[in-house]
Amino acid sequence: MGAVQDNFERLPLKDFAEKAYLDYSMYVILDRALPHIADGLKPVQRRIVYAMSELGLTALAKYKKSARTVGDVLGKFHPHGDSACYEAMVLMAQDFSYRYPLIDGQGNWGSPDDPKSFAAMRYTESRLTAYAQTLLSELGQGTVDWSDNFDGTLQEPVMLPARLPNLLLNGTMGIAVGMATDIPPHNLVEVAGACIHLLDKPDAPLEQLLEHIKGPDYPTEAEIITSADEIQKMYASGGGSVKMRAKYNEEDGNIVITALPYQVSGSKLQEQIAAQMLAKKLPMIEDLRDESDHENPTRLVLMPKSKRTNIDEVMSHLFATTDLEKSYRVNMNMIGLDGRPRVKDLREILVEWLTFRTETVRKRLQYRLDKVLARLHVLEGLLIAFLNIDEVIAIIRFEDNPKQVMIERFGITDIQAEAILELKLRHLAKLEEIKIKGEQAELEQERAQLEATLGSKELLNNLIKSELEEDAEKYGDNRRSPIVAREAAQALDTTALIANEPLTVILSEKGWIRAAKGHDFDVESLSYRSGDGFLDVAKCRSTQPVYVLDSTGRVYSTTPHDLPSARSQGEPLTGRLNPPPGSLFKYLLAGNPDDWYLVASSAGYGFRIRIEELFVKNKAGKALISLPDKSAVVKPAPIANPSDLLAVVTLQGRLLFFPIVELPELTKGKGNKIIQIPTKDLSTDKDRVVAMVAIPVNGQLVVLSGKRQLTLKVNDIAHYSGNRANRGLYLPKGFQRVDSLVSG
């Protein structure tokens, strides 16, 4: 047994896995996910269209059950899953997904609201649309290369002989391994115009082509609002994005939305708007109704609360916050004529497709020419037979090998002799010179025409142009998506969307937060969860953010208007914010954007900061104050006036006053020294800053120590005043264990 094993081919697992993955990747790219530039179809779509044409399901045929069609596609050409195959078929039938549908369906083929809600294939019926003929009409005319199907029993076309650049007309989306494609749909008339222009002027730059192709044309009447420059850049690079915006108008004071961007669900949109209304973020809208019906597939009605509501402003907000405005990625990646995937710009696509089209037409004409020449050859033989009819009949009747005898007797070819023999004797007898010569004359004329066209580039181009014009006339239509340059949508400021009312925000020791309406709220009377209690409070307005400072010196911001009511026990702040592990929420801050605060560490360093500088969008907050070793954050002190004095007191009872302007304005950092504290005392926790407060120049300071309090007047303050970073002086005995300082 061991000897047998030795002869086996051995391959390292790494090499095997790598090759297997690369093979799979290339299969997905080339045989599944990406369209071909020639007919703009992926293999599954090509197989569906071809199989349906083979079943005779043209636009004039009776509808046939989709399940039978899918069965045929799977049985003959596409050995994969039936549901994925049917899904590809459905997509080609949806007039809201495809700009020029290839399949005409009966039954439930999904709706714009829910494209995936189509009926099972056993319930739907289908046939090809008239437009599908642009892919199929030249199929039997020598224009196609054939390959074996999966089991080698049938032949299938490698590519369909498209008369139009279907890739651009219907666009496509696909995800391969390591690459994707997103080609938007375009208008047939515009694309045909650009192709004709390129045939007339092969060196025409992209700018001239864009005079014909204004931009994508989606199967919806919503507006494309991307600027012309952006569209040009997109076509020049083969990638970019297109922005679409819903159409609306005003009727009796109501906003009526009549067209939605491509593949936007009306019901999802309603959910988005309703969610804003529930969250009280659309106070100017009273009601939302869906009045869509068969005649008006899209009709969403928004009812403003008052006649004074600025409708354009509201819509601008909705464009910015809902799917009423949507961006579509463009990445024109496809398999080229060289069989390789690549992103191509618009000019490259058209030039390459025209190369394919020219070759297809050349093959078609050559095939026809060969047919004409073959028939002329046969007619020559028939004419000889007619002129020697009696002899021919005698040879056929009496000779054992009539074919050979005729070849030798009349000097005709094998093909001509075969054609004579294929005619029945009674037909031979009826041969007429006029008919033969008449057919010869017609065919000679056609031959001359075909040879002239094949021999002249100009005539060939004229033929292609006339066919493009014919198809544009037959299948073309007006642009559906208007291109309108619009200003960028602007979401309404939070302040405009929320009622401006006073709030009191309460933070508990365990980091739970809640809010009460009004500023005269009794925080003492609140109930807390067991083991929890009151920590801090901030008074603000519902339109202002609330800032939270944690034990690591980070600051976070949150909106107070959507905080739970103070009647409840609130919600944990960690649900809204994402603090580092081990940190604790310590203080709340709030105020107008221009209000100032003093931020400091217990090591005696700090700085001034405007409250708007504290704002941070991300949940993880931002570092505000750097804390030296063994120090903590001190409760920030509000600064009412730049001329205020700062009072700072340490654990040992040392008090210092100095003008607050001596401290710098910073946005973050350690700050400057406020009061001198020996490093040894800091490290052993014998001394640290315990409280600070800003007081007016002629104000008073109240020192609270246990149940006792000491009021310091102007003269006393002068006694404790000094320069920034001084050591400060001891407070009187009995007041050296300070709990807090209050501006009197």
Side-chain angles (χ1 to χ4, degrees):
M1 186 71 186
V4 174
Q5 286 290 327
D6 288 345
N7 295 334
F8 271 61
E9 184 184 346
R10 296 198 174 178
L11 196 64
L13 187 60
K14 175 180 170 292
D15 295 356
F16 170 78
E18 193 172 330
K19 186 175 180 310
Y21 184 65
L22 281 172
D23 288 351
Y24 168 70
S25 306
M26 287 316 294
Y27 151 72
V28 171
I29 291 166
L30 298 175
D31 287 334
R32 203 164 86 194
L34 294 192
H36 198 285
I37 192 165
D39 55 11
L41 298 175
K42 298 174 189 177
V44 63
Q45 297 172 325
R46 190 175 299 121
R47 285 163 173 167
I48 292 166
V49 171
Y50 175 65
M52 288 180 78
S53 76
E54 285 295 282
L55 290 168
L57 293 174
T58 61
L60 302 169
K62 280 175 64 181
Y63 289 95
K64 185 175 173 182
K65 276 273 184 270
S66 302
R68 291 173 65 186
T69 307
V70 168
D72 207 74
V73 175
L74 299 185
K76 290 179 182 173
F77 308 111
H78 195 70
H80 298 282
D82 58 344
S83 58
C85 177
Y86 181 52
E87 203 162 311
M89 188 171 163
V90 167
L91 197 68
M92 293 191 286
Q94 292 176 336
D95 58 0
F96 49 85
S97 295
Y98 260 44
R99 184 67 180 81
Y100 300 96
L102 293 166
I103 292 171
D104 176 10
Q106 273 196 338
N108 175 9
W109 289 82
S111 66
D113 218 37
D114 191 1
K116 298 258 169 123
S117 64
F118 48 86
M121 56 185 148
R122 59 184 179 273
Y123 301 121
T124 62
E125 296 181 332
S126 53
R127 66 183 182 190
L128 290 168
T129 58
Y131 172 79
Q133 283 308 303
T134 60
L135 298 169
L136 298 161
S137 60
E138 298 171 6
L139 206 52
Q141 298 177 25
T143 54
V144 170
D145 295 328
W146 298 86
S147 67
D148 288 340
N149 71 337
F150 59 89
D151 59 2
T153 55
L154 288 165
Q155 295 271 289
E156 63 173 322
V158 174
M159 218 59 61
L160 293 178
R163 286 170 63 97
L164 289 164
N166 183 57
L167 179 74
L168 285 173
L169 302 187
N170 274 320
T172 191
M173 286 162 103
I175 302 167
V177 180
M179 58 173 68
T181 182
D182 288 278
I183 302 169
H186 291 80
N187 187 278
L188 196 158
V189 177
E190 292 179 11
V191 172
C195 289
I196 291 166
H197 185 88
L198 209 48
L199 285 167
D200 287 333
K201 297 177 183 170
D203 298 328
L206 181 67
E207 289 75 29
Q208 289 183 17
L209 299 179
L210 293 183
E211 287 172 18
H212 296 275
I213 301 175
K214 305 291 184 200
D217 186 22
Y218 290 90
T220 167
E221 278 146 31
E223 298 173 342
I224 294 171
I225 60 163
T226 310
S227 68
D229 288 351
E230 287 295 312
I231 290 175
Q232 186 169 336
K233 279 180 199 163
M234 175 187 88
Y235 283 136
S237 65
S241 67
V242 173
K243 208 173 256 183
M244 289 195 89
R245 187 180 280 186
K247 275 175 93 173
Y248 70 95
N249 50 51
E250 197 179 330
E251 283 180 27
D252 305 329
N254 296 338
I255 306 166
V256 179
I257 298 162
T258 54
L260 298 177
Y262 180 54
Q263 289 183 336
V264 166
S265 157
S267 53
K268 188 185 173 197
L269 195 64
Q270 278 180 273
E271 281 173 29
Q272 289 175 334
I273 298 172
Q276 288 199 26
M277 289 167 73
L278 282 170
K280 297 183 179 160
K281 287 186 178 175
L282 270 181
M284 63 290 286
I285 298 292
E286 191 169 44
D287 195 16
L288 167 67
R289 282 200 314 268
D290 186 3
E291 293 183 358
S292 307
D293 53 32
H294 284 292
E295 284 182 19
N296 304 295
T298 304
R299 190 175 161 84
L300 290 177
V301 182
L302 297 168
M303 293 175 65
K305 266 191 182 156
S306 84
K307 293 267 193 276
R308 290 192 303 278
T309 303
N310 187 329
I311 286 172
D312 291 338
E313 220 172 67
V314 173
M315 286 308 291
S316 181
H317 168 78
L318 289 173
F319 289 140
T321 56
T322 67
D323 283 348
L324 279 171
E325 185 175 295
K326 206 167 179 201
S327 217
Y328 301 89
R329 191 176 63 182
V330 174
N331 176 33
M332 296 204 273
N333 190 11
M334 66 205 68
I335 299 167
L337 295 180
D338 58 358
R340 294 167 180 265
R342 196 163 70 82
V343 174
K344 299 179 193 286
D345 65 53
L346 182 69
R347 193 177 181 283
E348 273 183 292
I349 295 170
L350 292 175
V351 167
E352 203 163 322
W353 182 81
L354 283 171
T355 307
F356 163 79
R357 181 65 190 148
T358 307
E359 190 53 37
T360 304
V361 172
R362 195 182 289 282
K363 280 182 183 172
R364 187 185 85 207
L365 297 179
Q366 190 61 54
Y367 179 79
R368 179 63 190 157
L369 182 61
D370 295 345
K371 284 268 196 230
V372 167
L373 291 171
R375 181 64 183 159
L376 280 168
H377 185 64
V378 167
L379 287 172
E380 268 177 49
L382 292 178
L383 196 58
I384 292 168
F386 168 75
L387 295 169
N388 302 282
I389 192 71
D390 294 337
E391 203 175 337
V392 168
I393 290 170
I395 291 170
I396 293 169
R397 275 186 176 159
F398 302 116
E399 293 290 339
D400 291 337
N401 189 356
K403 187 178 172 181
Q404 201 55 42
V405 173
M406 279 196 288
I407 291 171
E408 286 168 9
R409 171 71 188 82
F410 304 117
I412 59 178
T413 63
D414 193 289
I415 294 167
Q416 289 171 326
E418 196 70 54
I420 294 167
L421 288 170
E422 274 179 8
L423 283 179
K424 292 189 174 75
L425 281 176
R426 57 191 171 91
H427 289 144
L428 258 176
K430 286 181 185 170
L431 282 176
E432 288 176 32
E433 189 177 5
I434 296 169
K435 275 191 179 173
I436 295 171
K437 287 197 167 169
E439 193 179 344
Q440 271 182 323
E442 278 177 25
L443 289 174
E444 279 293 347
Q445 195 183 342
E446 190 178 348
R447 181 178 70 90
Q449 203 177 344
L450 287 167
E451 284 177 344
T453 308
L454 282 165
S456 160
K457 194 175 179 186
E458 193 181 338
L459 286 175
L460 194 62
N461 280 356
N462 286 343
L463 176 63
I464 296 168
K465 275 194 297 189
S466 64
E467 288 178 356
L468 282 167
E469 282 166 358
E470 190 187 313
D471 286 343
E473 182 66 35
K474 195 170 177 184
Y475 304 109
D477 56 3
N478 295 330
R479 168 172 277 283
R480 287 186 65 183
S481 307
I483 300 174
V484 188
R486 300 275 190 201
E487 285 181 22
Q490 196 66 49
L492 286 171
D493 197 20
T494 323
T495 49
L497 298 170
I498 301 158
N500 189 350
E501 49 192 16
L503 288 180
T504 302
V505 181
I506 304 107
L507 179 67
S508 78
E509 291 168 358
K510 293 281 175 36
W512 285 58
I513 195 163
R514 46 189 153 167
K517 282 188 183 175
H519 281 171
D520 49 353
F521 186 79
D522 181 15
V523 293
E524 306 294 326
S525 62
L526 291 174
S527 68
Y528 293 89
R529 295 157 69 250
S530 78
D532 202 357
F534 172 77
L535 180 64
D536 202 9
V537 65
K539 292 180 174 158
C540 63
R541 301 204 68 82
S542 54
T543 54
Q544 296 169 338
V546 168
Y547 304 97
V548 187
L549 200 57
D550 75 3
S551 54
T552 66
R554 294 185 78 79
V555 70
Y556 312 82
S557 37
T558 186
T559 49
H561 68 89
D562 53 354
L563 287 173
S565 159
R567 289 191 207 93
S568 68
Q569 290 179 338
E571 64 177 43
L573 253 176
T574 45
R576 291 170 164 251
L577 310 173
N578 190 10
S583 69
L584 297 169
F585 296 118
K586 296 288 288 184
Y587 306 112
L588 292 177
L589 286 84
N592 296 320
D594 293 334
D595 288 357
W596 286 84
Y597 267 88
L598 176 71
V599 185
S601 65
S602 61
Y605 291 86
F607 54 88
R608 290 180 294 149
I609 189 167
R610 264 214 322 271
I611 205 159
E612 65 180 1
E613 298 286 353
L614 300 176
F615 186 76
V616 57
K617 276 188 178 172
N618 61 344
K619 287 185 170 185
K622 66 174 181 183
L624 177 65
I625 183 163
S626 309
L627 300 175
D629 282 350
K630 300 214 174 166
S631 67
V633 180
V634 181
K635 185 172 172 65
I639 304 166
N641 203 306
S643 61
D644 284 359
L645 295 173
L646 177 66
V648 55
V649 68
T650 70
L651 185 67
Q652 291 180 4
R654 288 178 177 271
L655 177 67
L656 174 67
F657 287 92
F658 65 85
I660 216 155
V661 288
E662 290 183 15
L663 273 176
E665 296 170 21
L666 297 176
T667 54
K668 61 175 186 178
K670 183 180 173 183
N672 285 16
K673 192 176 277 188
I674 299 173
I675 190 168
Q676 175 70 40
I677 299 173
T679 314
K680 191 178 165 189
D681 287 359
L682 263 177
S683 59
T684 55
D685 204 29
K686 282 185 180 171
D687 203 9
R688 63 175 190 275
V689 173
V690 288
M692 55 188 187
V693 70
I695 61 165
V697 173
N698 293 319
Q700 298 179 349
L701 177 72
V702 179
V703 179
L704 300 174
S705 176
K707 288 185 179 177
R708 300 172 70 193
Q709 66 178 48
L710 172 71
T711 303
L712 300 177
K713 297 200 169 69
V714 177
N715 293 341
D716 306 317
I717 290 170
H719 172 68
Y720 290 100
S721 292
N723 292 328
R724 179 178 67 78
N726 281 4
R727 186 80 177 95
L729 299 172
Y730 280 112
L731 282 161
K733 281 197 172 157
F735 292 97
Q736 287 176 357
R737 288 280 172 200
V738 177
D739 292 322
S740 64
L741 301 175
V742 180
S743 175

